[in-house]
Amino acid sequence: MNLLSGSIRRVAIVGGTHGNELTGIYTIENLNRCPHPIDGYSFECMTLLANPKAIAANRRYIDRDLNRCFGNADLSNLDLTNYEDILAKEIAAKLGPKDRPRADVIIDLHTSTSNMGLTILLSSKHPFNLRLAAYLSTLHPDVRVCCGIQCNQDAPMLRSLSPLGCTIEVGAIAQGILNADLFDKTQMLVRETLNYIDAENQSKPLPIPTGLTVYQTLSSVDYPRDSSGKIEAMIHPKLQFQDYQPLQPGDPMFWTFTGESILYQGEYTVFPIFINEAAYYEKGIAMSLTEKLVLQP
């Protein structure tokens, strides 16, 4: 619930943080149609298309990844004046500030080229978020719940403008296209998130399981590279599209251009996610490694 008042007053649903992730963009446009599917709740529901220039250009971003511009230091740095940095400050003024958010809950809609299924990335481990995620996890077998390394309000993601809420990340889907199945599942997750919040507001909480499986990010792994920074190996065929599946010591991880396997050298089993995400090549990330935990929501 709202940390101050005890009830949710405003929910912000955001799409187009990345301009070539069409599922969130068209979900927002669908929600904005009359009659509004988001009317009639016990809270105000607002929508936002976050990066209009990138949406118009069908590009992830114009100058800089908008979803990395919301760290506290960047938001307060007036010397950062490129398009996305200015845009982030405008969005923070509309939905934030982080210590007194105008949006009690933020739902940010994304897609991934990785086989992420229906992933809920929590803004924080606040009990409200854990209960919401536990409820959503009962709706479909493809729903999984993740926490990033920075699962707090100093994270650089748009969702960090409020401690309550999440990113909904669906995939696998290529950039710049729509997939009817994932579009429908995204709409379902948005609708059920709003239903859950509405039930909480009315002190009629929906049933949730006693345990919640959470994939906690441990670290990110880059592709093998030579001294000039060129990639020397690809994701191994046995690992491709195996997001959330166990990777054990000695399992194949990368595949060199000369056909040799590079094995996972860790000491314990991990669960890779965002495997071979197209947008992460520029970030030097081949995958993120997580551990599997069970929390009490």
Side-chain angles (χ1 to χ4, degrees), residues 112-119 142 144 170-173 240-245 272-277:
S112 173
T113 64
S114 302
N115 190 26
M116 293 293 284
L118 311 176
T119 292
D142 286 348
R144 294 182 177 90
V170 302
I173 182 172
Q240 182 65 43
F241 296 125
Q242 297 303 305
D243 299 75
Y244 294 108
Q245 301 307 306
I273 62 172
F274 288 110
I275 299 171
N276 208 18
E277 163 61 49

Side-chain angles (χ1 to χ4, degrees), residues 23 26-31 33 37 109 168 170 180-194:
T23 300
Y26 280 90
T27 295
I28 296 299
E29 293 186 353
N30 196 46
L31 293 175
R33 289 193 175 97
L109 307 178
I168 295 175
V170 302
D181 180 56
L182 290 176
F183 181 79
D184 284 346
K185 287 174 179 175
T186 297
Q187 291 195 109
M188 178 272 291
L189 289 173
V190 171
R191 181 176 63 252
E192 292 298 335
T193 297
L194 300 180

Side-chain angles (χ1 to χ4, degrees), residues 231-242:
I231 289 174
E232 291 189 307
M234 305 162 280
I235 298 295
H236 196 281
K238 291 185 178 180
L239 186 57
Q240 182 65 43
F241 296 125
Q242 297 303 305

